[in-house]
Amino acid sequence: AQSVTQPDIHITVSEGASLELRCNYSYGATPYLFWYVQSPGQGLQLLLKYFSGDTLVQGIKGFEAEFKRSQSSFNLRKPSVHWSDAAEYFCAVARGIQGAQKLVFGQGTRLTINP
Amino acid sequence: SQTIHQWPATLVQPVGSPLSLECTVEGTSNPNLYWYRQAAGRGLQLLFYSVGIGQISSEVPQNLSASRPQDRQFILSSKKLLLSDSGFYLCASRQGRGYTFGSGTRLTVV
């Protein structure tokens, strides 16, 4: 079955430090991959997405992600985090045929920023 | 671009009471629509999706139901709420390869 795994439930980094959030997927075909961010009590905001082409994807707020087919991974990175990046981050894969496509999410990674 | 309206933003309901959460979509037609639930400390679970008016697919057995009476309206309902129905409910819309999410409804069943 197709699934998405985010191995880290909670990560703490210092402000200004680099960040990498891990995401692994299980999917037979070339996946459509997404990263979303959720601030407390809010909906989801799309950070970036990968459909095809260049495997390094640039997103909003200085985030980027790299699709590695050989590792079935789509890790999210940021070179220097800001206190405002504290939030919950979700990786997702779109599965199913075109008409019945749906997003399957990982369990999420909660990011805490130390001052 | 798509805009999703969800209401209410927060809701406190007693066990055994009915529920109706509404989601409407603007800026698109014939979208796929989805209901997700996020329980406390957990990820997002797909509850229902719809590819058209009157067409509902359920992903997990539960105490809830969904309906799509109009192209851009998606309703989540329950006849009798359980404590386990508490959570954060998100409506989403897909047009092409893009997904848009509403701002969610925080439901607390007491």
Side-chain angles (χ1 to χ4, degrees):
Chain A
Q2 298 90 349
S3 68
V4 181
T5 303
Q6 291 179 249
D8 304 305
I9 296 174
H10 185 202
I11 284 182
T12 300
V13 299
S14 298
E15 189 168 15
S18 63
L19 171 71
E20 182 169 29
L21 302 182
R22 296 184 290 166
C23 174
N24 293 96
Y25 65 90
S26 168
Y27 193 67
T30 299
Y32 294 161
L33 295 160
F34 305 78
W35 273 101
Y36 287 88
V37 60
Q38 184 184 35
S39 298
Q42 301 298 311
L44 297 178
Q45 181 181 25
L46 179 67
L47 287 175
L48 47 78
K49 57 185 182 287
Y50 171 79
F51 295 147
S52 64
D54 193 346
T55 55
L56 185 61
V57 181
Q58 301 298 319
I60 62 171
K61 303 184 179 185
F63 285 93
E64 66 178 25
E66 186 171 12
F67 170 58
K68 292 185 178 180
R69 184 187 300 276
S70 61
Q71 299 177 21
S72 297
S73 69
F74 189 56
N75 294 348
L76 182 71
R77 300 193 295 248
K78 186 169 184 177
S80 177
V81 297
H82 186 262
W83 63 267
S84 60
D85 292 325
E88 187 101 22
Y89 291 80
F90 292 96
C91 181
V93 60
R95 69 174 177 93
I97 61 174
Q98 179 65 21
Q101 191 188 88
K102 63 201 83 166
L103 278 183
V104 175
F105 286 86
Q107 286 295 97
T109 298
R110 184 160 62 92
L111 176 64
T112 299
I113 307 295
N114 282 338
Chain B
S1 62
Q2 303 177 64
T3 302
I4 295 184
H5 300 281
Q6 273 189 256
W7 65 91
T10 59
L11 190 60
V12 181
Q13 292 284 98
V15 169
S17 64
L19 173 74
S20 180
L21 300 182
E22 188 160 344
C23 167
T24 59
V25 183
E26 291 181 358
T28 187
S29 59
N30 300 316
N32 280 15
L33 298 175
Y34 309 82
W35 277 110
Y36 286 87
R37 177 172 61 200
Q38 184 179 26
R42 300 184 64 181
L44 288 146
Q45 182 183 38
L46 179 61
L47 302 177
F48 301 96
Y49 71 94
S50 171
V51 300
I53 296 173
Q55 300 179 63
I56 307 295
S57 296
S58 175
E59 286 290 297
V60 293
Q62 59 203 306
N63 183 44
L64 303 168
S65 62
S67 62
R68 186 169 177 178
Q70 300 179 42
D71 181 47
R72 287 173 285 181
Q73 184 185 30
F74 203 26
I75 299 172
L76 185 69
S77 304
S78 173
K79 293 182 179 178
K80 290 185 178 182
L81 283 169
L82 305 172
L83 287 174
S84 58
D85 292 323
S86 293
F88 190 57
Y89 290 82
L90 283 164
C91 178
S93 171
R94 181 178 75 84
Q95 187 66 264
R97 294 184 294 187
Y99 289 81
T100 301
F101 285 83
S103 54
T105 295
R106 172 77 57 193
L107 171 66
T108 304
V109 183
V110 296

